[in-house]
């Protein structure tokens, strides 16, 4: 075994120029891949920063497309957002994280024009946002409207709501969701960092 290792080292010593060339080719290839990925990420970020979606376009979407659009709008606003909505999603279609605002759960309610979202959706989101998703903020978004009871209940119990008017400000006019909702920064849970 020692002889085989010594022969292998001798052959490597003889062909070191070839090994150096292979190493340089691999390093150059990896550098080119990184540059391409960086350019693609920058282009995606610039495209996302310009993202504007009109209300008629949102109305024409199906439920899944609407959820993806909300995810993209959150990403445009700086949130690390993921679409999670599916059967049994526990009232979360999109989840996002943005330091220092924390974690947000978005429940999407795509309706026909004139459709209204009722209080039961608010109860469900309030009941699952914290316990199931560890969210600091919960929001229900619709391209329609909310009943008066749903808006009042949401305001009283900390479930934000985005109706058609607010959706237009967010999606089409480009106002950031956290600014539109005036979301507070997440407070530290560490005892020495709490305000007195």
């Amino acid at each position: 075994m020692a002889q085989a290792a010594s022969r292998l080292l001798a052959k490597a010593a003889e062909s070191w120029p070839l090994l150096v060339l292979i190493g340089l080719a691999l390093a150059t290839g990896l550098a080119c891949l990184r540059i391409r990925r960086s350019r693609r990420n920058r282009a995606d970020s610039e495209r996302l920063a310009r993202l504007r979606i009109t209300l008629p376009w949102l109305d024409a979407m199906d439920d899944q497309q609407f959820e993806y659009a909300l995810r993209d709008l959150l990403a445009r606003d700086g949130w690390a957002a993921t679409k999670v909505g599916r059967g049994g999603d526990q009232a979360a279609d999109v989840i996002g994280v943005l330091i220092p605002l924390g974690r947000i759960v978005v429940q999407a309610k795509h309706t026909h024009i004139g459709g209204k979202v009722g209080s039961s959706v608010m109860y469900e989101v309030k009941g699952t946002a914290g316990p199931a998703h560890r969210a600091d903020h919960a929001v229900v978004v619709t391209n329609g409207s909310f009943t008066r009871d749903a808006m009042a209940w949401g305001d009283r119990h900390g479930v934000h709501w985005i109706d058609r008017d607010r959706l237009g400000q967010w999606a089409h006019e480009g106002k950031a969701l956290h600014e539109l909702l005036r979301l507070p920064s997440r407070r530290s849970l560490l005892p020495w960092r709490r305000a007195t």
Side-chain angles (χ1 to χ4, degrees):
M1 195 167 238
Q3 288 178 346
S6 119
R7 273 186 255 142
L8 187 61
L9 284 173
K11 286 195 181 229
E14 291 172 7
S15 57
W16 71 266
L18 179 62
L19 292 175
V20 168
L21 285 174
I22 291 172
L24 285 173
L26 286 173
T28 303
L30 288 173
C32 288
L33 285 174
R34 285 187 185 140
I35 290 169
R36 271 182 72 192
R37 189 176 317 135
S38 174
R39 285 181 182 163
R40 189 175 341 125
N41 289 344
R42 192 173 341 125
D44 288 347
S45 295
E46 289 170 1
R47 178 187 51 80
L48 204 54
R50 294 186 308 267
L51 178 65
R52 301 292 185 269
I53 306 173
T54 64
L55 289 172
W57 192 13
L58 289 165
D59 292 336
M61 294 178 178
D62 64 24
D63 294 349
Q64 291 291 313
Q65 292 168 331
F66 187 64
E67 291 172 12
Y68 279 113
L70 298 182
R71 180 208 58 195
D72 291 348
L73 289 168
L74 272 178
R76 177 201 70 191
D77 296 345
W79 296 81
T82 306
K83 181 195 170 301
V84 295
R86 61 189 174 285
D89 59 21
Q90 297 183 2
D93 293 314
V94 180
I95 295 177
V97 177
L98 178 62
I99 297 171
L101 298 175
R103 188 174 176 92
I104 192 169
V105 167
V106 177
Q107 174 66 28
K109 288 298 175 188
H110 189 261
T111 68
H112 298 290
I113 296 175
K116 288 194 175 215
V117 176
S119 299
S120 62
V121 173
M122 301 301 218
Y123 309 151
E124 184 180 3
V125 170
K126 177 67 174 179
T128 61
H133 304 293
R134 299 177 325 277
D136 300 294
H137 312 285
V139 62
V140 180
V141 180
T142 185
N143 62 320
S145 62
F146 290 88
T147 64
R148 275 191 215 128
D149 289 341
M151 290 185 291
W153 196 92
D155 290 343
R156 264 193 322 274
H157 298 284
V159 178
H160 300 282
W161 48 271
I162 298 290
D163 62 1
R164 187 171 186 81
D165 292 335
R166 288 179 172 181
L167 183 58
Q169 291 175 36
W170 181 30
H172 183 65
E173 295 173 21
K175 188 166 187 176
L177 181 66
H178 51 278
E179 293 171 4
L180 187 64
L181 297 177
R182 297 185 182 135
L183 295 180
S185 295
R186 182 173 60 178
R187 292 185 178 92
S188 173
L189 299 177
L190 301 174
W192 58 86
R193 307 242 352 232
R194 285 188 185 142
T196 54

